[in-house]
């Protein structure tokens, strides 16, 4: 088995002490190790934000791109080399805000990538503005009267888009988190994992305790294949917040449907020594 | 011999079909053809027209004047009859179009009735028109017949259309007073190609195996081309949800090792500008095809302009090198597309192919393409490298490129300023060195750009300076001016950035006139910025239509 | 008298609080202050520092060297001790930082213990540090006390912090060997203002009542400023879902009659480029604040650079006029922001305010702002106009502007090429006239740009040329060089596009040296493109930090 | 009452004969006339596409902006002058594709604008590529193997986002369409009306007959205030397609929540003659 240490590198996290990101970082290392995936097979793609720095603290391949655009990069890379395990890891502002259009359309596209969102319900790196998932009424330097728009519910939206795999976990439940990460990674298709993550510096509402008091694990009696009940479950957000696999819908991935990718990853297909006479004929 | 046919009518009447079939017909009869399309941003109705210009000599542009006008509606006659030459003719449907003015010019043919009688469908009206044309021109009907049979997959429908065409042919051939004739000349190996297909074919030959784009005229042509050939050549073409996604997908695919491109127009490119900068920072090769059309904003979606030169050269926040080429014709577009991919890989930079609607949509006859000498170089290290650093600082500024997934190494890059390994850094001395590394590549790139073509007398009084798709019209106008005794030369650029300046230096003391398809003289500004040479005289066009040689000749004479 | 204080430590230790309080303290004591911030893109940890430069004469930039180093952690001492001047001092927490090297330079104070003892919280460490500083400098403690009481809304907390500060004061004032003193000088009417607030305040005074933006350093400062004043001044500040939405919301609001702006940085602006072109086409006024930071891509998010000049000037597909101003300091930023709004309305064009992180984040003492002479002109017709046409072709190119909702008229505009009424058109002769109409406004606009400041000897051997936020450092370096006997002048631009060229023409035969905060000499390229003047010598800086006067003096001497 | 002719102008539609857009154009004129709204109070905002040309054929104020960005322009204009009736009218590609991010976040923002989408399940103006709502398997010049991604369901997504008003109609049912338009316009809040519209030139699957055979009107027994059952209803797409008001959720509009807009529309608030001494004080 791959040792969890294989994933360590010498970068020092630039996060605040006590930030929920640390446990997410560690959990992902553990999940990858437990799945026996070597670092050179993993490509992490991230956007910009505190969460999006996470992949720098892993030993693995990394494309740290633009704010909100990581899912597109991840999809391109996966199409080019579907042997890679491609994980897009970023924050809630990045993925649900700036990147919202890629979020919704890639759920439809169903490329086999994993999207792990550190959802701290705030813009951390830019010093505490509201994010799409911020609670109503949260006051910030920009939202001086408090947030006016109800929070974006990524789980409900993903279900509305008939996503292939939708789960939620909490950075304060590392065991659960590792399990969710493993399920997401082994799932064949686009997998969304929304991870509740306390931001100790800017989010004074949704604290560790706030989450801890509310989250509960879905048990075996819950059937994640029923779309309507999954939608109902997705709307649960208040005194009780469900964590676990909320919806699964095994549908063909994008890659599977392309005959171009059947024999070999795209990047390996030779591009020289090809006979183009049929094209030339079209021009005559 | 030269012949100018214009086919006009509403969108949806099949103008394009007639012009494509006829262009092929002339090609196979041994003539040179240039076919230009003028259409509106709508699917049905309005007024569209196509000019098929035919010649025994190579031609690279449309020209003013009409020898045969095929009018599919009455409006076409109204709009174009003044342009018809003295010994020209106007073909129109004598049963559908009531046209009063009956003189030698008019040639009424019951096009639709012929179609109905022979093919039992109005749709075959295109075939009757082609038949009439071939007949009128004393062409070889068997060539038309072959083309038609190729065109229709279903042999029965093919047969019906051939019948229709033959009926038209008989009528056309009956009119013996028409002075233009295009009998079969010779068998040749030439190609009939449009700029869009040239870029597309170039991309395929270059090894492009991933294209992501969001539809936008005239960029869509290249997406259609690659999609049409995707099965045979293992190309993945993905329609993105927006242009931002398109460029980012392409960067992901390129990072993972596949030659990749986007295709768009100015407005779509505007949305890719942040991604362009990302390509610069992460040193991820990519190729961007920008088909220009008149702006600002949505502008005239189906028209042509050269209004994006300064925009693409300066686009993107921060400083990084890029290669910009503006192919001068379809042949050039093919080779420059391949060059764009090679330079993108060589320097790990974005390459931009700057065409326009005129180049993309026009069909032209070119001599056969030489595919054997084409070099494809990836500059990728497929074997693991010890202590691999994606952004290693080297003498040339170019770091060895490896792919993620290569066993035993890790490939790391970052949109933030990073160290050589690719990790985010706040070390300001590294910052400085990385800036210099990236810009160094731009210096080297200067050695790879192609000097402009010079054409004309050896000691010219006046030199016309141009770039991109204006080449055909400018070359022909220079030709004509020289024949008329003007002491003129032409300096024409295809690679535009970095700007090749040696030829310019050589001619800098001549009287220079810049000819451009925009309103502000962008190329003149670029030349001034890069060389200090101040071209004060300009011939500019910005109404959405391409230059014609006649027009340039006239303008040059005006200011001579 | 001049004094340079540097406060260094980790992000989150309150460096900014100390520097803000101390800056205010010096302001109210009658000194000029310039406070510059160097911070990393993180919330806690790392190494940040602030320089508070104090003088009896006006100053507009930071400078090299330190007279007092306030070290909130040990790393600060390691990194900065070499810069501390001979008769300087390093203040550090003697109980938290173990520092071996004990000599005259070091001044250990139990800062945290003082805080705990007096305020019962570590957080008050900032107040103990301020107290020590004021004591050491023989300052007027009552001024510090007032500032602190203003700072804390809760009087009880205020009291505790004053207590803490006083304890620090006693310790600082005990050290009598320190040679720099800042006793109370005079009461004055000066302001302490940072560039971000200057743009924000300028916008409010200009009548901006809608701002939409997506957070991005350093653009966010302006959003925060307007949000902070939104209730009192009826401003709607809306955080957009992305930058594309921000600019489009602003265009909607502006179209409907409200002065509106966006604020962002290069990367966010990259996403607004299509919207910029839309503003150009629909002739909708808008103001865009772009705070530059080092690129490409994410680059160094919290650092400074002048790397976006050519980008913003050439951004957008198609051709349309725009106004670009790069304020040279906070005072200029205030007035130029107002000018940006006025010109946007006058010409119905986009105006771009091009600042940078250095200008936005630095605080400076300026003489009181004159608000009475400020002119706000909307150029809007509020009364119904007969046969109203939004894009009427006029002599000047400027069409009368009315607002939708005005009774009896309709206001129509289009991102497609349109007729005078605003309806989509495919008429190519109208196209040509509308292009000319739009560009004509750009010609007129040339009459509104401000010529650069010339400063220096009357017949200089060398002229330093600069633009934007480099003014303070360049002015001071020119000052010093002149004092040292160098025959030097300074030509400094604030309005950069259209480029004012009269002064340049005047000095074009002098030896010119361009000083810019980028790696490619963008302003020199712009000057060459616009005037043909080729500035070959350049002093460029691109490590993310602003110029200092000492540095420029050194570089100039090197190449003199 | 305002005469429907008041809304006519001299522009000639550039649409194909038989296109579903014609009836939508007429229905909106009728709805506005029936609601007695004069043209100079209406601001139509549109993007780019065949549908987005529609407002040119109305006599009213118009901002025809960029492809996909009309909702943002509409929101800005409504904030500036909330006395205007602001309608954003465009196609499915425009609104759900390029404009997806503005679609989702403006549903949350709940500015009182109306979004009318001519949903022809295709990109018309650019000659027939798949749109986000195209059916699986539809072949085009780009989608040569047929569409691989399941269609975007605007109704379900809007409900997942707890939209204020969500309805569907069909261009082939003008009476129903007029009624839906009137309900949307009179509703206080963001109102989405998805209008099924046959494209006779490029969409050979979802023809007039195809829709006609499938659509059925929701009757009074249907309760549009129940979010879960609305979601269930939203998933109905196949042999039977419901049309009508699918979901209503009366929540405060953005404008209502802003004290800045209480006394006067923003554009009317004087901007000169203001005392700024409190700001100057902050700088001293
Ligand atoms: C185009 C663009 N816009 C804005 C930014 C500035 N920015 C950087 S991170 C961030 C928000 C981060 O929030 P989130 O994604 O939730 O991550 P967190 O820091 O909370 O982990 C923003 C707005 C940017 N880098 N690029
Ligand atoms: C940024 C940008 N990208 C692409 C286009 C090209 N474009 C114009 S209309 C259109 C699609 C139209 O589809 P839809 O919105 O469904 O409208 P329809 O024509 O079907 O009514 C596209 C892709 C554009 N104008 N701008
Ligand atoms: S600001 Fe918040 S999210 Fe960012 S590192 Fe600190 S605690 Fe974590
Ligand atoms: S292409 Fe389709 S949507 Fe466009 S006008 Fe024609 S029928 Fe209507
Ligand atoms: Mg966050
Ligand atoms: Mg459509």
């Amino acid at each position: 088995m791959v040792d969890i240490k294989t994933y360590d590198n010498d970068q020092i996290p630039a996060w605040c002490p006590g930030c929920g990101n640390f446990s997410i970082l560690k959990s992902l290392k553990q999940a990858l190790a437990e799945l026996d995936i070597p670092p050179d097979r993993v490509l992490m793609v991230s956007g910009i934000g505190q969460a999006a720095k996470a992949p720098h603290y892993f030993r693995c391949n990394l494309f740290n791109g633009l704010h909100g655009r990581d899912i597109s990069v991840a999809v391109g890379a996966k199409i080019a080399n579907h042997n890679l395990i491609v994980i897009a890891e970023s924050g809630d502002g990045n993925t649900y805000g700036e990147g919202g259009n890629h979020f919704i359309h890639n759920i439809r596209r169903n490329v086999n990538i994993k999207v792990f969102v550190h959802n701290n319900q705030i813009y951390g790196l830019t010093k505490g503005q509201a994010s799409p998932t911020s609670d109503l009424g949260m006051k910030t330097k920009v939202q001086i009267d408090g947030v006016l728009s109800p929070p974006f519910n990524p789980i409900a939206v993903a279900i509305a888009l008939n996503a292939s795999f939708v789960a939620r976990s909490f950075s304060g439940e590392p065991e659960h988190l590792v399990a969710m990460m493993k399920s997401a990674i082994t799932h064949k298709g686009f997998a969304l994992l929304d991870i509740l993550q306390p931001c100790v510096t800017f989010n004074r509402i949704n604290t560790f305790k706030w989450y801890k008091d509310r989250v509960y694990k879905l048990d075996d009696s819950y059937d994640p294949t029923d779309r309507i009940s999954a939608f109902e479950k997705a709307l649960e957000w208040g005194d009780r917040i469900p964590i676990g696999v909320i919806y699964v819908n095994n549908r063909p991935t994008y890659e599977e449907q392309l005959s171009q990718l059947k024999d070999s990853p795209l990047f390996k297909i030779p591009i020289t020594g090809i006979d183009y006479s049929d094209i030339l004929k079209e021009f005559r | 011999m030269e012949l100018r046919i214009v086919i006009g009518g509403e969108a949806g009447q099949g103008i394009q079909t007639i012009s494509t079939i006829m262009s092929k017909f002339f090609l196979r009869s041994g003539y040179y053809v240039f076919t230009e399309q003028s259409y509106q941003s709508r699917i049905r109705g309005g007024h569209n027209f196509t000019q098929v210009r035919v010649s025994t000599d190579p031609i690279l542009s449309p020209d003013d004047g009409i020898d045969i006008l095929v009018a599919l509606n009455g409006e076409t006659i109204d709009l174009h009859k003044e342009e018809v030459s003295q010994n020209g003719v106007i073909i129109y449907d004598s049963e559908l179009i009531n046209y009063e003015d009956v003189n030698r010019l008019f040639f009424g043919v019951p096009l639709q009735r012929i179609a109905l009688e022979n093919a039992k469908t109005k749709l075959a009206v295109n075939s009757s028109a082609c038949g009439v044309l071939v007949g009128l021109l004393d062409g070889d009907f068997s060539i038309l017949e072959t083309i038609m049979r190729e065109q229709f997959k279903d042999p029965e429908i093919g047969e019906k259309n051939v019948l229709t065409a033959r009926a038209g042919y008989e009528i056309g051939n009956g009119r013996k007073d028409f002075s233009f004739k295009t009998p079969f000349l010779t068998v040749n190996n030439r190609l009939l190609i449009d700029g869009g297909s040239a870029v597309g074919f170039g991309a395929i030959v270059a090894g492009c195996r991933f294209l992501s784009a969001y539809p936008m005229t005239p960029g869509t042509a290249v997406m259609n081309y690659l999609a049409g050939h995707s099965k045979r050549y293992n190309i993945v073409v993905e329609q993105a949800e927006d242009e931002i996604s398109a460029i980012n997908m392409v960067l992901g695919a390129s990072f993972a090792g596949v030659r990749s491109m986007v295709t768009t127009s100015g407005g779509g490119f505007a949305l890719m500008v942040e991604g362009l900068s990302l390509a610069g920072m992460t040193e991820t090769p990519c190729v961007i095809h920008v088909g220009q059309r008149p702006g600002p904003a949505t502008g005239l979606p189906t028209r042509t302009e050269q209004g994006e030169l300064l925009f693409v050269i300066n686009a993107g926040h921060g400083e990084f090198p890029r290669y910009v080429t503006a192919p001068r014709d379809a042949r050039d577009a093919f080779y420059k597309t391949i060059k764009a991919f090679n330079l993108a890989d060589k320097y790990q930079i974005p390459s931009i192919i700057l065409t326009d609607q005129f180049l993309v949509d026009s069909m032209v006859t070119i001599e056969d393409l030489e595919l054997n000498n084409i070099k494809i170089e990836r500059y990728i290290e497929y074997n693991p490298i010890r202590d691999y650093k994606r952004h290693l600082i080297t003498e040339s500024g170019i770091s060895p490129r490896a792919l993620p997934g290569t066993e035993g190494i890790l490939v790391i890059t970052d949109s933030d300023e990073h160290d050589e390994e690719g990790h985010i850094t706040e070390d300001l001395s590294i910052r400085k060195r990385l800036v210099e590394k990236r810009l160094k590549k731009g210096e080297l790139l200067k050695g790879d750009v192609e000097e402009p073509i010079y054409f004309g007398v050896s000691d010219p009084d006046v030199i016309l300076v141009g770039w991109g798709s204006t080449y055909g019209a400018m070359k022909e106008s220079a030709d004509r001016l020289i024949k008329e005794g003007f002491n003129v030369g032409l300096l024409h650029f295809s690679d535009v950035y970095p700007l090749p300046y040696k030829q310019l230096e050589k001619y800098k003391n001549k009287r220079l006139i810049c000819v451009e398809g925009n309103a502000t003289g962008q190329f003149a500004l670029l030349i001034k910025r890069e060389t200090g040479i101040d071209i004060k005289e300009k011939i500019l066009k910005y109404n959405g239509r391409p230059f014609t040689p006649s027009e340039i000749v006239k303008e040059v004479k005006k200011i001579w």
Side-chain angles (χ1 to χ4, degrees), chain A, chain B:
Chain A
M1 208 186 79
V2 170
D3 187 333
I4 181 166
K5 293 219 178 79
T6 322
Y7 276 93
D8 291 345
N9 66 9
D10 56 3
Q11 301 286 313
I12 300 156
W15 293 320
C16 311
C19 174
N21 284 330
F22 288 101
S23 116
I24 303 177
L25 175 65
K26 192 163 160 234
S27 300
L28 183 50
K29 286 181 183 177
Q30 187 164 339
L32 289 167
E34 287 180 17
L35 290 172
D36 209 17
I37 300 169
D40 55 15
R41 261 198 71 205
V42 176
L43 171 62
M44 302 264 256
V45 180
S46 70
I48 297 295
Q50 298 282 30
K53 289 178 186 168
H56 282 287
Y57 315 137
F58 280 89
R59 259 195 82 246
C60 66
N61 297 286
L62 165 61
F63 189 108
N64 182 0
L66 299 169
H67 184 60
R69 315 304 173 187
D70 44 323
I71 292 182
S72 297
V73 171
V75 160
K78 182 75 182 181
I79 292 172
N81 181 358
H82 59 253
N83 288 341
L84 293 169
I85 307 284
V86 181
I87 303 172
E89 189 177 16
S90 289
D92 46 327
N94 178 92
T95 308
Y96 307 138
E98 184 89 52
N101 210 29
H102 318 310
F103 177 72
I104 58 180
H105 291 291
N106 279 300
I107 288 178
R108 297 177 48 231
R109 202 172 267 127
N110 201 28
V111 173
N112 185 9
I113 63 161
K114 315 300 145 191
V115 176
F116 293 173
V117 183
H118 300 210
N119 184 355
N120 56 9
Q121 304 186 250
I122 198 99
Y123 284 9
L125 189 58
T126 48
K127 305 199 170 171
Q129 300 82 10
S131 93
T133 56
S134 293
D135 282 345
L136 268 174
M138 174 191 268
K139 289 195 181 186
T140 79
K141 279 188 184 174
V142 172
Q143 286 75 27
I144 56 158
D145 282 332
V147 169
L148 304 178
S149 299
F152 178 80
N153 184 331
I155 309 288
V157 170
I159 294 167
L161 290 160
N162 212 357
S164 186
F165 178 100
V166 188
R168 183 192 280 131
S169 189
F170 169 41
S171 70
E173 298 271 7
E175 248 173 74
H176 184 266
L177 181 54
V178 170
M180 287 300 110
M181 286 171 162
K182 286 167 70 178
S183 301
I185 293 169
T186 49
H187 173 83
K188 213 178 63 190
F190 184 98
L192 168 68
L193 175 59
D194 185 74
I195 306 165
L196 303 174
Q197 172 238 323
C199 166
V200 298
T201 303
F202 294 113
N203 190 333
R204 303 299 169 92
I205 297 172
N206 313 101
T207 59
F208 182 86
K209 183 173 173 342
W210 191 94
Y211 289 123
K212 196 79 189 174
D213 288 349
R214 285 163 175 79
V215 298
Y216 74 94
K217 289 172 204 145
L218 291 171
D219 61 22
D220 288 350
S221 70
Y222 177 75
D223 173 12
T225 63
D226 181 311
R227 193 163 167 198
I228 303 295
S229 64
F231 184 73
E232 246 184 295
K233 192 51 80 183
L235 300 187
E236 234 179 275
W237 180 274
D239 290 346
R240 279 168 66 73
I241 300 171
I243 59 175
V245 177
I246 297 176
Y247 184 58
V248 177
N249 160 27
N250 287 305
R251 55 184 177 92
T253 67
Y254 176 87
E255 308 92 283
E256 281 173 339
Q257 298 181 76
L258 289 184
S259 63
Q260 292 92 320
L261 303 182
K262 216 166 259 164
D263 299 328
S264 147
L266 200 56
F267 86 105
K268 278 205 176 156
I269 298 173
I271 57 170
T272 50
I274 295 168
D275 175 20
Y276 293 105
S277 50
D278 58 331
I279 288 190
L280 287 171
K281 221 172 114 192
E282 293 164 8
F283 295 129
R284 294 199 210 273
Chain B
M1 198 289 307
E2 195 190 308
L3 168 72
R4 296 154 303 178
I5 305 172
V6 166
I7 304 132
E10 292 184 8
Q13 286 193 303
I15 293 168
Q16 224 190 322
T17 314
I18 304 180
S19 61
T20 305
I21 291 177
M22 289 308 297
S23 301
K24 241 189 188 162
F25 170 80
F26 293 121
L27 172 83
R28 296 204 189 160
S29 298
Y31 295 83
Y32 289 92
V33 195
F34 192 95
T35 303
E36 189 259 339
Q37 309 197 26
S38 166
Y39 58 102
Q40 298 184 339
S41 182
R42 59 192 294 163
I43 305 303
R44 295 276 178 271
H47 175 63
N48 292 1
F49 65 95
T50 293
Q51 186 189 69
V52 184
R53 195 174 163 214
V54 188
S55 173
T56 41
D57 298 315
I59 36 170
L60 292 169
S61 76
D63 201 8
D64 303 342
I66 300 174
D67 300 309
I68 304 176
L69 178 64
V70 181
L72 300 182
N73 63 1
E75 195 189 4
T76 300
I77 304 181
D78 296 335
L79 290 169
H80 293 282
K81 71 174 172 203
E82 302 302 331
E83 302 162 47
V84 179
S85 61
Q86 275 240 305
N87 44 3
V89 73
I90 299 174
I91 300 171
Y92 68 103
D93 195 313
S94 47
E95 295 186 355
L96 298 180
I97 303 170
N98 271 329
Y99 219 81
E100 304 274 310
D101 186 350
V102 182
N103 64 22
R104 188 180 156 280
L105 216 57
F106 286 79
F107 185 22
V109 181
L111 295 170
Q112 184 171 304
R113 180 153 50 80
I114 298 173
L116 281 171
E117 283 174 6
N118 291 280
K120 315 285 174 256
T121 164
K122 283 193 213 175
L123 289 176
V125 72
N126 300 321
S127 298
S128 61
C130 289
V132 172
L133 275 167
V134 173
L136 186 68
L137 292 166
D138 259 350
D140 183 338
F141 184 77
S142 70
I143 294 176
L144 181 63
E145 182 173 344
T146 313
I147 294 169
M148 289 201 151
R149 291 197 198 275
E150 288 168 13
Q151 202 84 352
F152 298 99
K153 305 258 140 61
D154 179 337
E156 205 174 312
I157 298 179
E159 183 58 36
K160 282 182 180 164
N161 276 277
V162 169
L163 270 178
T164 309
R166 194 181 306 274
Y169 177 86
E170 302 301 341
I171 296 177
N173 211 238
R175 176 152 174 172
K176 292 293 182 191
D177 62 338
F178 187 63
S179 47
F180 297 89
K181 302 287 167 193
T182 57
F184 176 78
L185 284 185
T186 170
V187 174
N188 64 64
N189 240 343
R190 294 180 202 136
L191 310 175
L192 181 72
I193 190 167
D194 57 279
S197 300
V199 172
F201 184 29
I204 294 175
V205 172
C208 176
R209 293 299 176 265
F210 182 66
L211 177 144
S212 181
Y214 189 80
M216 188 162 197
T217 311
T220 316
V222 176
M223 171 157 61
N224 287 343
Y225 191 87
L226 263 70
H229 295 83
S230 59
K231 304 296 269 189
R232 165 81 177 78
Y233 294 100
N234 273 302
I235 305 162
V236 176
V237 172
E238 180 58 13
Q239 183 175 315
E241 58 275 19
D242 56 33
E243 287 84 352
I244 301 173
S245 191
I247 181 103
N248 280 283
M249 279 200 231
V250 156
L251 293 181
S254 173
F255 178 70
V258 173
R259 280 199 162 174
S260 304
M261 81 183 292
V262 293
T263 177
T264 185
S265 179
F269 177 74
L271 291 164
M272 298 182 182
V273 165
E274 194 196 12
L276 182 77
S277 179
L278 178 65
M281 187 56 145
T282 57
E283 306 192 69
T284 308
C286 66
V287 173
I288 301 171
H289 171 244
V290 180
Q292 297 167 101
R293 64 191 217 189
T298 309
L300 291 167
T302 59
R303 305 293 176 174
T304 203
E305 190 161 282
Q306 296 187 297
E308 256 76 285
L309 179 70
L310 292 177
F311 175 33
V312 303
I313 286 175
N314 295 289
H317 51 302
E319 301 174 298
F320 55 91
R322 77 197 69 192
Y323 165 64
V324 183
T325 186
R328 51 173 72 93
D329 55 31
R331 182 181 194 82
D332 195 34
F334 173 78
Y335 290 110
K336 288 290 160 57
T337 299
I338 297 169
K339 182 175 177 180
F341 277 97
N342 283 339
L343 291 183
D345 269 356
K346 181 172 177 189
Y347 294 107
Q348 303 169 19
I349 54 170
S351 284
I352 297 168
I353 305 164
L354 193 62
T355 67
D356 51 39
Q357 177 271 329
F358 167 62
L359 176 57
V360 165
D361 286 337
S362 296
M363 285 187 289
V364 60
T365 308
I366 60 172
E367 304 306 327
D368 204 1
L369 290 168
E370 181 48 75
L371 301 185
N372 292 329
N373 300 330
I374 287 169
K375 278 222 178 76
I376 308 295
E377 268 197 84
R378 294 298 323 264
Y379 308 91
I380 291 179
E381 308 279 353
Y382 291 99
N383 297 318
I385 302 173
R386 248 173 68 99
D387 295 329
Y388 181 69
K389 292 194 165 92
R390 175 67 193 91
H391 298 286
L392 188 76
I393 296 176
T394 61
E395 191 60 42
S396 63
I398 303 170
S399 314
R401 181 164 170 229
L403 304 182
T406 308
E407 224 183 288
I409 69 157
L410 300 176
V411 185
I412 299 161
T413 193
D414 192 356
S415 128
D416 294 277
E417 191 58 275
H418 40 258
D419 57 22
E420 291 178 83
E421 209 177 333
H423 282 300
I424 187 170
T425 185
E426 294 259 6
D427 182 324
L428 303 183
S429 67
I430 294 182
R431 155 73 181 173
K432 186 159 178 287
R433 292 167 62 214
L434 266 287
V435 168
E436 286 157 4
K437 163 203 171 7
R438 288 188 292 265
L439 294 182
K440 213 182 252 178
K441 299 188 297 175
E443 290 305 311
L444 275 188
L445 174 63
K446 289 181 181 166
D448 284 290
V449 291
E450 182 188 271
E451 283 287 327
I453 285 180
Y454 179 78
F455 166 85
V457 301
S458 59
D459 188 24
D461 295 331
V462 167
I463 297 178
L464 303 179
V465 179
W467 61 283
S469 75
T470 54
Y471 177 67
M474 288 185 73
K475 163 86 164 47
E476 189 167 333
S477 62
D479 254 338
R480 288 197 210 163
L481 286 163
I482 292 169
K483 277 202 195 102
E484 293 190 37
F486 289 88
N487 214 14
V488 73
L490 168 66
L491 202 54
H492 201 277
F493 291 74
S494 165
D495 281 353
V496 291
Y497 193 82
L499 185 74
Y501 54 85
K502 291 197 193 99
Q503 287 276 77
L504 273 170
E505 285 296 331
K506 186 168 150 198
Y507 291 111
K508 73 173 165 206
N509 295 320
K510 297 286 177 188
R511 181 173 166 204
L512 305 175
I513 300 175
C514 207
V515 180
E516 298 189 56
N518 59 51
T520 57
Q522 299 191 16
F523 193 58
L525 283 171
L526 178 66
I527 287 175
K528 196 163 164 192
R529 160 185 144 170
E530 297 293 315
T531 67
I533 299 167
D534 189 5
I535 307 186
K536 293 220 174 61
E537 290 177 288
K538 284 161 208 149
I539 297 174
L540 304 174
K541 186 169 184 181
Y542 43 89
N543 71 345
R545 296 281 297 138
F547 280 108
T548 62
S550 304
E551 199 174 23
I552 297 174
V553 165
K554 208 174 82 190
E555 292 298 320
V556 170
K557 284 181 180 169
K558 238 192 241 169
I559 57 175
W560 190 269

